[in-house]
Amino acid sequence: PHNSNASFRFSINKASKRLKVDMEHLSGIAIYNTNGQLCVAVKAENQIVDIELPNFNNGMYLLKAITFDGKSGVQKFIW
């Protein structure tokens, strides 16, 4: 089982429709809607992922960040 105790920071810029995630040893992120459907999955090139989300609807989402050693953290955000 994966450890769910990894912490990360993220920021949202709705004007430019961007989401930025910062986490040590980041291997990727996944964004889910409240129905549990995967909306976006991105592999990380380094400890910061900065992605554009041009087609996101307003609402609540779950952001999951995963490290190379299998730890993960989940935070809610509103778009």
Side-chain angles (χ1 to χ4, degrees):
H2 293 300
N3 295 324
S4 294
N5 55 6
S7 64
F8 63 93
R9 293 185 304 272
F10 73 97
S11 61
I12 295 170
N13 184 333
K14 282 190 74 170
S16 62
K17 300 181 186 285
R18 299 192 76 82
L19 174 83
K20 184 176 178 180
V21 178
D22 184 349
M23 179 185 201
E24 280 191 49
H25 311 295
L26 181 65
S27 69
I29 65 166
I31 301 173
Y32 299 89
N33 65 21
T34 52
N35 295 324
Q37 296 170 304
L38 180 64
C39 300
V40 174
V42 177
K43 284 194 173 197
E45 309 259 329
N46 53 51
Q47 80 173 34
I48 296 175
V49 170
D50 188 356
I51 58 172
E52 190 174 11
L53 303 173
N55 301 317
F56 261 42
N57 295 319
N58 290 338
M60 188 179 302
Y61 292 88
L62 295 176
L63 171 60
K64 181 177 186 178
I66 303 126
T67 64
F68 285 109
D69 59 1
K71 293 181 180 171
S72 64
V74 177
Q75 296 188 45
K76 292 180 187 176
F77 72 92
I78 295 176
W79 188 257

